[in-house]
């Protein structure tokens, strides 16, 4: 089941980026909810929030190392509960989605643009980023509260 979820996240991520490229690139943002949500094509040559711009080789190598480490961690630790496995799978799927862009294009396509009126304009992101953030929040919670291994009875 975890493999299927990984594949579904990858397909959804790559399809939405494909359509963002075809429909949004070179066009004005497509407003969904005025002052809150729009689709806006952005080529991100950095990491989260555009930091470390034009360091694609660094990000590719780092992503491979982290992915290998996470997969080995999951294989080696048979006591990880299903919630921890789901969190790690979300991170892995998102990382692979953005890695595909970095290798194929030299940048990551971002297109989901959330604003909170004139108060705050959140950096543009994509489906892979959503998976990474949700997975990271889940894994962080489980590690902080020591709930990442099976105990015979899941919480």
């Amino acid at each position: 089941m975890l493999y299927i979820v990984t594949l579904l996240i990858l397909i959804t991520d790559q399809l939405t980026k494909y359509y963002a490229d075809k429909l949004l690139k070179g066009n004005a943002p497509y407003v969904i909810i005025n002052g809150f949500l729009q689709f806006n094509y952005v080529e991100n040559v950095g990491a989260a929030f555009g930091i470390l711009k034009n360091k694609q080789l660094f990000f590719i190598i780092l992503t491979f190392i982290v992915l290998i480490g996470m997969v080995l961690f999951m294989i080696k630790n048979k006591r990880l509960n299903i919630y921890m496995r789901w969190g790690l799978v979300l991170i892995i799927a998102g990382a692979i989605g953005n890695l595909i862009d970095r290798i194929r294009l030299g940048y990551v396509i971002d297109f989901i643009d959330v604003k909170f009126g004139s108060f705050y304009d959140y950096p543009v992101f994509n489906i892979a980023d959503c998976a990474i953030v949700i997975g990271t929040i889940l894994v962080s919670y489980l590690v902080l509260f020591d709930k990442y291994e099976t105990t015979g009875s899941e919480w």
Side-chain angles (χ1 to χ4, degrees):
M1 182 67 173
L2 294 174
Y3 298 116
I4 293 170
V5 170
T6 302
L7 190 59
L8 286 174
I9 291 170
L10 283 171
I11 290 169
T12 303
D13 175 63
Q14 291 299 301
L15 274 176
T16 55
K17 289 174 180 175
Y18 170 81
Y19 284 112
D21 181 55
K22 296 299 173 204
L23 301 173
L24 298 172
K25 188 175 184 178
N27 294 319
Y30 182 79
V31 177
I32 306 296
I33 301 172
N34 194 26
F36 179 68
L37 177 64
Q38 63 184 11
F39 293 147
N40 182 20
Y41 181 87
V42 173
E43 294 175 356
N44 185 350
V45 295
F49 308 105
I51 61 172
L52 296 173
K53 293 182 189 274
N54 299 312
K55 305 287 186 210
Q56 295 307 317
L57 182 60
F58 169 75
F59 289 124
I60 290 169
I61 292 168
L62 181 63
T63 302
F64 270 115
I65 292 168
V66 170
L67 285 171
I68 291 167
M70 290 178 77
V71 169
L72 291 174
F73 177 76
M74 286 180 71
I75 291 169
K76 186 172 180 151
N77 293 286
K78 302 294 184 200
R79 293 196 48 157
L80 297 177
N81 66 33
I82 192 65
Y83 306 107
M84 185 64 159
R85 291 188 181 282
W86 278 107
L88 293 170
V89 160
L90 287 170
I91 296 168
I92 290 168
I96 292 171
N98 284 339
L99 179 64
I100 290 169
D101 283 13
R102 289 187 198 287
I103 292 170
R104 187 172 65 90
L105 304 169
Y107 53 86
V108 174
I109 295 174
D110 290 331
F111 63 92
I112 303 169
D113 192 356
V114 176
K115 298 177 188 304
F116 296 94
S118 59
F119 175 69
Y120 185 70
D121 186 3
Y122 194 80
V124 183
F125 57 97
N126 59 46
I127 300 297
D129 297 336
C130 292
I132 292 168
V133 169
I134 292 167
T136 301
I137 290 169
L138 181 55
V139 168
S140 297
Y141 171 82
L142 294 169
V143 170
L144 283 172
F145 293 97
D146 197 25
K147 295 188 178 277
Y148 58 91
E149 290 183 333
T150 59
T151 59
S153 63
E154 296 295 353
W155 2 310

